[in-house]
Amino acid sequence: MKKVTMAGLIIVLFIICAITSLLLGLVNEITEDRIAEITAENTRLAMQEVLQADSYDEVEYTGGDSQVTGVYKAGDAGYVVEVSVSGSQGMISMVVGVDTAGTVTGVSIVDMSETPGLGDKASEPEFRSQFVGTTGDAAVDKDGGTIAALTGATVTSRAVANGVNAAVAAAATIG
């Protein structure tokens, strides 16, 4: 029977790790562009959902809110603001439509990793529609506001409200 040495085990482990890393890098290289295309398309559809316009032209946002990741002028209708807020299980990426009067016209969740059956209900129209008509004062009912928090997902509900408020504030600094 052949005796296995510590050096032999290390070499085998190194080879396995090198091959695995090479394969992961190759898969990333192959899928990176397609993932970026899908993300851009989802964002474009979300923009149309929250504020209808013929074009969405990116404008420079010079405010200091790090939650705001992009601002787009939506023709003469107002602005669409991309925000990324911290939820209970990770970041929630969303777009918020804000009309020229500073009123929320819609909210769309682009990406999130909240708890299935609880926090992920933030993407449902019944929850998101509560923000339509707010003007930067969105707060969940547990905090004295009018937004009915998702049962068992108050952190997620607060995060979405904070994102909506950040979007309205960002649009106000531009418009």
Side-chain angles (χ1 to χ4, degrees):
M1 183 171 229
K2 194 172 188 181
K3 186 174 182 183
V4 178
T5 65
M6 182 66 87
L9 289 174
I10 291 172
I11 291 170
V12 169
L13 184 58
F14 175 78
I15 291 170
I16 291 171
C17 289
I19 291 170
T20 303
S21 297
L22 179 68
L23 289 173
L24 286 173
L26 182 63
V27 168
N28 183 59
E29 185 72 27
I30 292 169
T31 60
E32 185 175 33
D33 291 340
R34 181 68 180 135
I35 291 170
E37 288 173 15
I38 291 170
T39 301
E41 178 65 11
N42 288 343
T43 301
R44 186 186 65 74
L45 292 172
M47 287 179 175
Q48 290 177 339
E49 179 185 338
V50 300
L51 188 61
Q52 288 289 319
D54 293 331
S55 65
Y56 301 92
D57 301 314
E58 189 166 11
V59 296
E60 184 178 358
Y61 171 67
T62 57
D65 193 339
S66 62
Q67 297 177 113
V68 177
T69 58
V71 180
Y72 302 84
K73 180 145 180 51
D76 293 331
Y79 295 93
V80 174
V81 183
E82 285 183 287
V83 293
S84 185
V85 293
S86 181
S88 68
Q89 302 297 316
M91 298 307 286
I92 301 171
S93 297
M94 55 194 232
V95 294
V96 180
V98 182
D99 67 15
T100 56
T103 304
V104 174
T105 59
V107 175
S108 181
I109 307 294
V110 177
D111 186 43
M112 73 171 158
S113 57
E114 297 301 281
T115 307
L118 294 173
D120 72 342
K121 290 184 179 181
S123 63
E124 293 181 1
E126 297 80 27
F127 177 73
R128 293 181 293 118
S129 66
Q130 296 180 88
F131 294 95
V132 174
T134 60
T135 57
D137 55 355
V140 296
D141 47 9
K142 292 182 179 184
D143 297 334
T146 60
I147 305 299
L150 296 166
T151 303
T154 305
V155 172
T156 303
S157 302
R158 283 183 178 130
V160 174
N162 290 340
V164 168
N165 293 338
V168 172
T173 66
I174 295 170

